[in-house]
Amino acid sequence: MSRHSSLAMATASSPDGRSLASASASIPSEPASGFTISDLARDFGVTLRTLRFYESRGLLSPARSGMTRIYSGRDRARLALILKGKQLGFTLVEIRAMLSNEERKHGADGEASASVGGLQLTRNQISEQLELLRSQHSEIESAIAELEATLSKLGRS
């Protein structure tokens, strides 16, 4: 699915509605054995399938103990950033690049960046994403207006 046609965005909140920042702040530090896939799914309100998908795309790299995935604190932090990126409407390819840049060093190219929910974004990335989201917002408003008008016509029949 292209990022321009996607109208739905993932939310980055815990199951009880807290934002990721407050949810992750209240979660105890990494246990000595790490986190299971069930721990992360529960804590971040995502499915096991979602976590496996992120792993298959190289975004998460859990260790293995037999067939059991063991996620580190680093994996947990990366998941928080992935979900924040999705909430902001970035594609997984874009998120992967952001995570890669994070690991190489903040703003290595000298361009100023700012943290948005833990993601380091450049002025250009923020501007482009705002433009895309405003465009999608406009398209959604037009679709809603058209459907409401049609529904109204049906109500009069």
Side-chain angles (χ1 to χ4, degrees), residues 34-132:
F35 303 97
T36 65
I37 193 168
S38 298
D39 291 337
L40 289 186
R42 179 188 62 247
D43 293 345
F44 288 94
V46 297
T47 65
L48 302 179
R49 184 177 178 186
T50 296
L51 294 172
R52 289 186 203 108
F53 179 76
Y54 291 159
E55 180 183 349
S56 75
R57 296 297 184 254
L59 295 167
L60 298 174
S61 322
R64 298 281 185 156
S65 177
M67 293 298 293
T68 305
R69 290 170 170 84
I70 306 296
Y71 293 89
S72 66
R74 177 182 176 273
D75 289 318
R76 181 183 197 84
R78 285 176 69 90
L79 178 58
L81 293 176
I82 292 164
L83 295 175
K84 177 50 84 174
K86 292 299 292 175
Q87 181 187 26
L88 295 172
F90 290 100
T91 66
L92 289 180
V93 170
E94 292 167 325
I95 293 167
R96 176 181 302 130
M98 288 176 210
L99 292 172
S100 176
N101 287 339
E102 276 294 305
E103 291 171 356
R104 283 197 302 266
K105 186 73 175 137
H106 301 307
D109 59 0
E111 188 175 358
S113 65
S115 177
V116 180
L119 283 174
Q120 286 298 122
L121 302 175
T122 64
R123 175 180 296 279
N124 190 45
Q125 287 174 311
I126 294 168
S127 295
E128 287 179 2
Q129 195 63 14
L130 277 171
E131 183 179 325
L132 172 66

Side-chain angles (χ1 to χ4, degrees), residues 126-141:
I126 294 168
S127 295
E128 287 179 2
Q129 195 63 14
L130 277 171
E131 183 179 325
L132 172 66
L133 293 174
R134 286 181 179 128
S135 171
Q136 289 176 337
H137 185 259
S138 176
E139 292 171 12
I140 291 168
E141 285 182 335

